[in-house]
Amino acid sequence: MLQGVCVKADSSELLKNGERYYLFPNGPEHYYVSNFPNKGAHRGCYHAERFEIVANQELHKEKLYKAQLVYREQGYKGVKLGEYFLRVKGTHANFYKDPELSRLRGCFPLDWFSNFEEVTLNDSPEEVVSIEEVDLEEIYVESEPTEYEQLSLF
């Protein structure tokens, strides 16, 4: 999925010059065009020369981003559309549910996400909890029984 701006609407009543659309490749020279990030909701198939592709903003691998998952293939219905935290890997990104990156949800193409925001984690030191020393004589330790009784199962 790509995004592009219409530059040649010509006589088409469905397209407007300067309007942004979601583009789904259909061969090397055509796109299915949609107002939504859903190939099934397209307005038609148009020649690629009618659109100027809008490039994704520059994303750095060492930074953490927050973005909206706006599209997914049919086989990924278990992954809900919504906000996730991303680590970029080339044209794809590992995405997580939490900013601590402890719950990996998968690896999807960057084109499936929108509204990227850089996230700066608060690196302030966490509160230190002090542990009091305990005298071992104060702790109650249960003594082992001296007599054993055998259980019979039959």
Side-chain angles (χ1 to χ4, degrees), residues 39-100:
K39 183 178 181 179
H42 67 83
R43 312 175 139 243
C45 188
Y46 296 93
H47 200 274
E49 69 183 17
R50 291 181 179 247
F51 301 93
E52 184 177 304
I53 302 299
V54 178
N56 282 336
Q57 61 192 25
E58 185 68 26
L59 302 175
H60 300 281
K61 291 181 180 181
E62 61 275 353
K63 294 184 179 179
L64 178 66
Y65 295 95
K66 179 171 55 172
Q68 295 289 326
L69 179 63
V70 293
Y71 174 80
R72 65 182 184 279
E73 292 282 328
Q74 189 173 5
Y76 299 106
K77 294 291 184 188
V79 178
K80 295 182 180 177
L81 299 178
E83 186 175 86
Y84 291 97
F85 295 90
L86 309 172
R87 280 281 189 210
V88 177
K89 293 174 53 177
T91 59
H92 287 65
N94 287 338
F95 64 100
Y96 302 82
K97 194 64 181 165
D98 58 338
E100 292 80 25

Side-chain angles (χ1 to χ4, degrees), residues 99-118:
E100 292 80 25
L101 308 181
S102 63
R103 296 183 57 204
L104 178 65
R105 299 292 294 145
C107 182
F108 284 168
L110 288 172
D111 294 336
W112 294 5
F113 295 92
S114 67
N115 303 330
F116 291 88
E117 293 178 28
E118 186 177 336

Side-chain angles (χ1 to χ4, degrees), residues 18-33:
E19 186 130 344
R20 193 175 194 155
Y21 297 99
Y22 290 96
L23 307 173
F24 300 91
N26 182 21
E29 297 183 6
H30 291 85
Y31 294 118
Y32 287 113
V33 179

